[in-house]
Amino acid sequence: MKHLLLVESNESITGIQACRELGYTVTLITQDIQHYLKGQPLASHPLHMVDYIHEVDTFNEEAVVDFVKEYHKVHPLTGVMSFAEFYVVQATAAAHAIGVPTMHPLAAKNARNKYKSRELCLQNGVPVPVSLLAASVEEACQHAQAMGYPCIIKPCDGAMSIGVVLVNNERELRLSYDSYVNNRNYGRNLYGSADVLIEEFAAGPLVSVEMVTYQGKDVLIGITDRRLVGFPYFVETGASFPVQLSNETEIVEAVSQGLRALGVDFGPTHTEVALTPEGPKIIEFNPRMVGGPVPEMIKYATGIHLPAEVLRMHMGEEPNLTATVSRGAASREFCSPVDGTLLEVTGLKELEGRPDILKSHFIAAGREVSYPRSNFDWIGRVTVGGDDAEQAEQKCSEIQNGIGLHIVARPLS
């Protein structure tokens, strides 16, 4: 039986579920199993599907590589990978060390480091926003003054929109810089870099290009439309797939050119692109499969089971990336307009039994909620299928109008 080692997991456990469907033996290495269990017994948690679990310092690339090399000697591995953003570099390094299929580790590092990816794109004529690296608040202010306000401050190696803020003046910049630098703990013993980027604000709609690189070819899975709220923060609160754009060829060519510049030679990528008046500009590359509800949306819209196909290619098998149906899907995330406590969510009963509802989930009443500052601040999500993306998006809007969030605001201190 083929044996896969996963370096951590995403919260949805999607990859692990796909492993079981494919019949693979699965080993999971994790910094802390309780991050997933949260006190729940393993026997009643989805992680019970995993065959072997070992606790390793997964944020430490050397520790992961050393463990995998020794483990492979006793328990031969067919593949090593990660679906989780913060662990892709460690996973590619370990896979490379034992000679199983993977993206080149340097390419993964280039993609995870937003400044390095900007440099490589500029050297290769790939359109990206103007971006300057800052190692201190004074340097950040100097860069912003030279670039001009408004501009963006963002971590060099972040994810989930954490620390990404639109600032209009030096005061806002200093506040945002201090807020990020003093709160760089992403959880799971993960700490972001103290370096930040001061970046041109690439105004325009945001889309993401979902691709898989296999045997030297970039296969377009589709383009996802993104809805943002929470300004000056950038929080995703909706997506639709697949969107049809008049300049799709230009967008896809820019992304492929960027992937070559970074050295991406294998695996899934999720690339965010701003559609500015000057043309598409690449905001960031992610050396992993798209997350959240989008894989399920892709499966409904195209028939492609992306997690399973990504797993198969990492196990030395040829992926099937050909669409078998042509439909659309959309999602809508719900956020609180204030910091406070969620009392009740109304309107959910009307969704029960609807065959076009792919998934619906909301947090429990009584939980603390906050104004959206990152993609961790969602209260709930509904994912819907339709004849095409436009119809699915319209359904999401109608559902949103029928759902009520009853929240008690936190008193101002």
Side-chain angles (χ1 to χ4, degrees), residues 252-310:
V252 172
E253 287 180 353
V255 172
S256 286
Q257 188 181 1
L259 295 177
R260 297 293 78 72
L262 270 58
V264 172
D265 55 353
F266 180 89
T269 50
H270 164 64
T271 305
E272 296 184 0
V273 182
L275 307 182
T276 76
E278 298 81 33
K281 293 186 179 182
I282 295 176
I283 301 300
E284 66 179 34
F285 300 91
N286 296 282
R288 56 160 175 86
M289 184 185 77
V290 62
V294 181
E296 188 168 11
M297 291 161 56
I298 290 172
K299 185 176 181 180
Y300 180 87
T302 69
I304 299 171
H305 188 353
L306 194 57
E309 300 309 324
V310 168

Side-chain angles (χ1 to χ4, degrees), residues 32-43 45-48 53:
D32 179 12
I33 190 64
Q34 287 302 325
H35 170 80
Y36 304 99
L37 300 182
K38 297 178 174 60
Q40 183 178 343
L42 179 61
H45 190 277
L47 281 183
H48 79 274
I53 298 175

Side-chain angles (χ1 to χ4, degrees), residues 345-361:
V345 180
T346 57
L348 297 182
K349 287 189 178 298
E350 287 73 10
L351 305 183
E352 295 177 3
R354 281 182 52 170
D356 58 343
I357 302 297
L358 306 182
K359 185 172 285 188
S360 175
H361 175 74

